[in-house]
């Protein structure tokens, strides 16, 4: 029997959501490519996040910073020294694994069971490369392991150009790279992934209050994208287990099919980053208010993995209670296609032509599919499997009264609607 994650991997491959990376060359371990439907789902998640946390808020400013940054950034941020995982190697099978891995019990290799393992070594997870044609130490740069530092190094630029007053946030969506020792579990842990991050700068005395505010915002976001809060567990990280910069961290863990694991994080990074960048760069990154009081703000950092969002959303949406009829119960606003348009019969040119007309009208504003393969039942099943919330069928009555049948994915109900009201109906559906 296939496990739930195997079923999701297989559906997403079969229907064009997610493909193994570099597949025609035998793949590249743990790399994945988003296909035509996957990129729509992922973009819908990112757009929802941007609209909600950047565009619709007057206290948050968006940026898009470079993936490669001056190496001094990583020295000042502590990543060169601290951003490492403990690594052990099995002397027998030579597999390497994280020494803090759950499977690594009593110094036993999780792969072959041998007890002959090397002692722990710290392994820095940043990807190194060189700038320009000369490979020398001065030219070494690192791919960013988090988007956050882009926000810190632009703190002054954003403040100067926007005249932002505390509290305010700087946010971005972008790729991050980590040379993970044990990537795996599909898109859960990869070496190249995307983050949606927010650095929310506050007065030190309001850090706790704003931490709680973001805690609520994060939960509300999860509900909004269809993640069942029953599958979420908040884990307050004790001293000694937090990242080197954090005074308080909550991990939002999700019941993935392969276990309870981190989905998102929320941290109080204090004034660690701004202070260190000030010191290292010589540029004053203090905030100055009207009374010319100058101080380092604290920063509350809610962080969301894009790929883990896609995976959690897929896991909660996947419904195979009838194994012959799989339904992805995605929130309509996240579904790759908002609607699919069908001619009742594919061999009647007048129906096909009318269906195409409706499809052409709607696709300027909505993501819509046109499907005339097989019979209508098969088309419904096929759209259900990719989560399309509404199916629009053109039949002979359409030609006389300009109405169509709209079938709802979740209730299966069919209603007659006027063609010129369809856009309004879909707009409401995805709001
Ligand atoms: P983990 O404990 O799972 O390694 P982390 O605590 O190192 O994660 P953060 O540094 O808090 O993760 O990164 C912020 C977010 O980025 C995570 O909550 C997660 O959603 C995402 N993320 C981190 N590492 C990866 C990865 N290797 N692949 C996919 N997403 C990731």
């Amino acid at each position: 029997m296939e496990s739930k994650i195997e079923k999701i991997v297989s559906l997403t491959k079969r229907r064009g959501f997610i493909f193994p990376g570099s597949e025609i060359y035998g793949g590249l371990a743990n790399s994945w490519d988003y296909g035509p439907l996957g990129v729509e789902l992922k973009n819908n998640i990112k757009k929802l996040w941007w609209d909600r946390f950047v565009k619709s808020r007057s206290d948050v400013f968006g940026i898009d910073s470079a993936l490669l940054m001056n190496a001094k950034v990583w020295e000042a941020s502590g990543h060169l020294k601290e951003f490492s995982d403990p690594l052990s190697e099995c002397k027998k099978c030579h597999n390497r694994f994280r020494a803090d891995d759950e499977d690594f019990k009593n110094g036993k290799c999780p792969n072959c069971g041998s007890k002959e393992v090397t002692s722990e070594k710290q392994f820095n997870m940043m990807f190194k490369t060189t700038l320009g044609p000369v490979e020398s130490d001065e030219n070494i740069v690192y791919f960013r392991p988090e988007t956050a530092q882009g926000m810190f190094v632009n703190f002054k630029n954003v403040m100067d150009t926007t005249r932002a007053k505390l509290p305010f946030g700087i946010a971005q969506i972008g790729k991050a790279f980590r040379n993970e020792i044990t990537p795996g579990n599909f898109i859960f842990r990869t070496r190249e992934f995307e983050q949606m991050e927010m650095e929310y700068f506050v007065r030190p005395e309001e850090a706790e209050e704003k931490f709680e505010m973001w805690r609520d915002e994060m939960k509300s976001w999860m509900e909004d994208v269809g993640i069942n809060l029953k599958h979420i567990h908040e884990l307050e990280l004790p001293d000694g287990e937090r990242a080197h910069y954090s005074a308080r961290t909550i991990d939002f863990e999700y019941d993935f099919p392969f276990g309870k694991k981190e989905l998102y994080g929320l941290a109080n990074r204090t004034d660690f980053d701004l202070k260190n960048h000030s010191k290292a760069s010589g540029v004053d990154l203090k905030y100055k208010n009207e009374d010319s009081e100058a101080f380092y703000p604290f920063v509350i950092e809610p962080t969301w993995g894009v790929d883990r969002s896609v995976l959690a959303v897929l896991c909660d949406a996947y419904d195979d209670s009838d194994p012959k009829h799989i339904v992805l119960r995605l929130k309509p606003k996240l579904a790759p296609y908002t609607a699919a348009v069908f001619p009742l019969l594919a061999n009647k040119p007048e129906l096909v032509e009318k269906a195409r007309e409706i499809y052409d009208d709607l696709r300027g504003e909505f993501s819509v599919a046109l499907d005339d393969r097989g019979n209508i039942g098969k088309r419904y099943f096929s759209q259900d499997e990719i989560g399309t919330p509404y199916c629009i069928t053109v039949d002979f009555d359409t030609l006389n009264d300009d109405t169509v049948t709209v079938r709802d994915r979740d209730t299966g109900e069919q209603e007659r609607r006027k063609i010129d009201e369809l856009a309004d109906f879909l707009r409401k559906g995805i709001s």
Side-chain angles (χ1 to χ4, degrees), residues 178 180 188-190 193 195 262-265 303 305 308:
R178 296 182 187 178
E180 299 274 4
F188 173 80
R189 188 181 300 287
T190 50
F193 56 96
Q195 296 183 313
E262 175 173 337
L263 172 63
Y264 303 141
T303 170
R308 288 188 193 177

Side-chain angles (χ1 to χ4, degrees), residues 59-65 150-165 168-171 199 201 285 287:
D59 60 345
V60 177
F61 304 92
I63 64 163
D64 184 15
S65 69
M151 270 82 90
F152 296 126
V153 300
N154 281 294
F155 174 73
K156 191 171 177 331
N157 282 337
V158 172
M159 226 175 23
D160 290 349
T161 50
T162 62
R163 296 167 193 277
K165 297 261 183 304
F168 72 90
I170 309 181
E199 305 305 323
F201 299 96
L285 298 180
Y287 173 83

Side-chain angles (χ1 to χ4, degrees), residues 125-170:
M125 295 201 289
M126 286 200 291
F127 276 103
K128 217 191 253 187
T129 188
T130 45
L131 272 192
V134 184
E135 283 196 27
S136 73
D137 282 355
E138 294 92 75
N139 296 343
I140 290 179
V141 286
Y142 301 90
F143 282 96
R144 64 184 187 194
E146 58 173 25
T147 65
Q149 296 304 324
M151 270 82 90
F152 296 126
V153 300
N154 281 294
F155 174 73
K156 191 171 177 331
N157 282 337
V158 172
M159 226 175 23
D160 290 349
T161 50
T162 62
R163 296 167 193 277
K165 297 261 183 304
L166 289 181
F168 72 90
I170 309 181

Side-chain angles (χ1 to χ4, degrees), residues 224-276:
D224 200 21
V225 293
I227 293 173
N228 187 341
L229 288 186
K230 282 200 198 121
H231 298 152
I232 293 290
H233 310 274
E234 289 183 42
L235 177 70
E236 181 95 42
L237 292 193
D239 290 349
E241 284 186 28
R242 291 188 296 269
H244 60 278
Y245 48 71
S246 176
R248 183 179 177 199
T249 297
I250 289 180
D251 282 352
F252 290 91
E253 296 187 318
Y254 175 79
D255 292 320
F256 286 101
F258 39 83
K260 190 168 73 168
K261 306 222 179 265
E262 175 173 337
L263 172 63
Y264 303 141
L266 173 62
N268 174 357
R269 290 179 83 127
T270 69
D271 55 5
F272 178 90
D273 299 273
L274 288 182
K275 226 182 210 167
N276 282 333

Side-chain angles (χ1 to χ4, degrees), residues 367-398:
S367 178
V368 193
L370 180 68
D371 191 356
D372 61 7
R373 295 160 306 167
N375 64 36
I376 207 96
K378 278 200 185 133
R379 293 183 212 151
Y380 283 156
F381 272 37
S382 164
Q383 293 298 327
D384 286 347
E385 200 182 39
I386 58 172
T388 309
Y390 308 109
C391 290
I392 298 168
T393 304
V394 169
D395 55 25
F396 291 104
D397 288 342
T398 311

Side-chain angles (χ1 to χ4, degrees), residues 20-31:
S22 313
E23 195 183 9
I24 61 165
Y25 287 103
L28 174 69
N30 301 294
S31 78

